[in-house]
Amino acid sequence: MEPRHQAGALLRCTRDGVVIAIVNDGIGLAGSLSAGKPFRSCAYVDNEDRAQALIDELGSVDAVYEMPISVDLGGHPKLLAFSGAVVGGELILVGSAVEGYTGDIYEDLTRINNEEANALRMALKSLEQRSRHAAIVAHDLRNSVGSIASSAELLLEDLDALAPEQLQLISIIERTSRAALALVSDLLDLTLIETGRLELKPQSIDLGALIQKNVEANRPLAHKKNIQLEAEIAVGLPAVIADPWRVEQVLTNFISNAVKYSEPATGVIVRASAAEGEILVEVCDQGQGIPPDEIDNLFRFYQKTSVRPTGGEQSTGLGLAIARRIVEAHGGKVSVESEVGRGSTFRFTLPCPGAAANV
C-alpha cells in the first residue's frame, strides 16, 4: 500500500482554474500538469467536464468536498477524490487517492512556518470544523423537526375531535414542519458530501423493481395535481450494484421536481433501459421547461432557475446538486435536456458492466 503522503496532490490555482503551483505531488501529476495550465488538462479522457465542474462550483461556494475525478498519469487513469476551497483570491485543490492524505498534508503544513502555509492550514482547519459543527446541528434539528411533523400528522388522523380552526392550524404546522424537515435533511446530506462522509452501502438491486416501487410511492404526490405518473421499464434489465436508499433518493428528487414544475392534467414518465455498460434512467415531464442559459447551473448547490413551481411548492436549491453527487459517487453521470414550453428530461446513469443496449 502506498504511503498516504504519496497518494495525492495539493495545487494552488487561480479562481478560473489555472495552476499557479503544485505544492505537493505524491502521484506524478506533474507529468500532465504544470504551472500555467488549466486544472482540467490533467483529467483523463472523458473527465475534463467533471474537472471543470469542480472549478465552476468553487465560483459559487466556498468549498467543495470529495468530487471523484480520474486524472491522467502517463496515459493511465487514476481516480482521485478532489476537495477544493477558496483561500484569499486563489483556489486550493487537494486530490486524494486514499483516506488520510488531507490530514497528512495538514500535518506537513504545521511544520512549515511561513505566511502561505499558515493561511492554507487555517483554511483547512476552519472548513473541517465548520462542516462538522453543521453536521451535528443538522442531525439534531432533523430529529426535532421530524417529531413535530409526526405529532401533527397523528393529530390530523383524528379529524372528528378537531374544530375547523384547530384543523387549519395543525395542517399548517404539519405542512411547514415537513418542508423544514426536507430542508434540514438536505443540509445534512450537503454536510456529509462536503466532508467526504457520504457513505454508500452498495448491494445487488433489481433497479426495475425499485423504480416501480418508487413511482408507486410518489403517485399520491402526482395525484394531488392531477398529474399522470407512469413507469416504462425495459424487459430484462440487469441488476446493478448500488445503494438502494440513495438511488431512491435521486429518483424521488427527479420525480418530485417533475411534478412540482408541471401543470395539472399533464404527465410524467420514468423510463429505464440498458446501454453499453450502464443503465440509463430518465424522468420526462410535460412541464414549463428551463431556459437554455440556466441549465448549466442546475446541478450546483444553492442554484435556482427562473422557473417557479406551479402549485406554490418549496425549493431549497440543494436537491439536484445532492442527486448529482450521489450518482457520481456510484460512478454514474447526470444530464438534462429541456425545451421551454414543452418540458424536460432529467437523466442519470449507473455503471453495469454486463449491460448491453436494448434493441
Side-chain angles (χ1 to χ4, degrees):
M1 180 180 294
E2 55 193 331
R4 291 190 306 187
H5 68 279
Q6 295 179 7
L10 174 63
L11 313 174
R12 290 173 51 213
C13 300
T14 64
R15 291 297 295 267
D16 58 357
V18 176
V19 175
I20 298 172
I22 301 177
V23 180
N24 180 279
D25 184 12
I27 59 171
L29 199 60
S32 59
L33 192 65
S34 60
K37 286 188 175 182
F39 167 67
R40 66 178 182 274
S41 64
C42 73
Y44 184 79
V45 190
D46 61 349
N47 271 232
E48 286 192 8
D49 288 345
R50 187 171 292 184
Q52 186 60 47
L54 171 63
I55 301 300
D56 292 344
E57 192 157 324
L58 283 168
S60 57
V61 298
D62 290 335
V64 174
Y65 289 84
E66 303 293 324
M67 179 181 288
I69 299 174
S70 289
V71 297
D72 188 337
L73 298 183
H76 299 285
K78 186 174 184 65
L79 184 64
L80 300 181
F82 273 93
S83 300
V86 179
V87 180
E90 299 179 1
L91 304 183
I92 305 301
L93 304 181
V94 181
S96 173
V98 297
E99 184 177 356
Y101 172 77
T102 303
D104 285 350
I105 289 296
Y106 176 85
E107 291 178 7
D108 288 345
L109 290 173
T110 64
R111 292 190 286 269
I112 304 174
N113 187 22
N114 60 45
E115 185 176 347
E116 178 182 311
N118 290 340
L120 290 173
R121 188 175 72 249
M122 294 305 295
L124 290 172
K125 184 175 182 179
S126 174
L127 288 168
E128 181 180 8
Q129 289 178 340
R130 183 180 63 183
S131 295
R132 290 185 182 277
H133 291 163
I136 294 171
V137 171
H139 183 272
D140 290 345
L141 275 175
R142 184 170 66 175
N143 290 340
S144 299
V145 176
S147 296
I148 295 171
S150 297
S151 298
E153 190 173 326
L154 286 173
L155 288 171
L156 288 172
E157 291 179 0
D158 191 10
L159 298 179
D160 294 337
L162 298 174
E165 296 82 2
Q166 294 173 318
L167 177 61
Q168 182 180 13
L169 289 172
I170 294 174
S171 296
I172 293 172
I173 293 172
E174 194 271 340
R175 185 171 63 254
T176 55
S177 59
R178 288 292 175 195
L181 181 60
L183 173 59
V184 173
S185 295
D186 280 351
L187 288 172
L188 181 56
D189 279 339
L190 170 61
T191 304
L192 293 175
I193 289 169
E194 285 187 336
T195 55
R197 298 200 301 271
L198 180 69
E199 294 184 3
L200 298 181
K201 298 178 180 179
Q203 57 184 273
S204 178
I205 59 174
D206 182 340
L207 188 59
L210 184 146
I211 291 172
Q212 289 282 9
K213 183 181 72 171
N214 191 270
V215 166
E216 289 297 327
N218 281 286
R219 196 160 273 148
L221 178 71
H223 181 72
K224 288 181 179 179
K225 296 181 72 172
N226 191 27
I227 292 173
Q228 191 78 13
L229 176 60
E230 300 295 341
E232 295 180 0
I233 311 298
V235 177
L237 204 64
V240 297
I241 303 299
D243 184 326
W245 188 85
R246 291 297 183 181
V247 173
E248 282 215 72
Q249 185 177 354
V250 175
L251 275 170
T252 296
N253 177 264
F254 280 18
I255 293 173
S256 63
N257 278 345
V259 171
K260 185 184 299 182
Y261 293 97
S262 292
E263 297 289 349
T266 58
V268 174
I269 300 177
V270 183
R271 296 190 176 100
S273 58
E276 292 298 332
E278 63 186 17
I279 303 297
L280 171 65
V281 180
E282 300 176 300
V283 178
C284 312
D285 65 51
Q286 300 169 329
Q288 306 165 74
I290 304 161
D293 60 344
E294 298 180 10
I295 287 180
D296 287 345
N297 291 326
L298 277 175
F299 293 100
R300 298 176 186 170
F301 287 118
Y302 301 110
Q303 299 297 309
K304 296 183 181 181
T305 70
S306 59
V307 183
R308 300 272 71 88
T310 58
E313 298 95 335
Q314 298 292 317
S315 175
T316 65
L318 294 172
L320 285 174
I322 291 171
R324 181 193 114 201
R325 291 298 185 82
I326 290 172
V327 171
E328 290 180 349
H330 282 87
K333 297 179 180 179
V334 296
S335 61
V336 60
E337 288 185 12
S338 188
E339 185 176 347
V340 175
R342 295 183 64 88
S344 304
T345 297
F346 282 80
R347 301 183 177 93
F348 71 90
T349 62
L350 293 174
C352 184
N358 292 119
V359 179

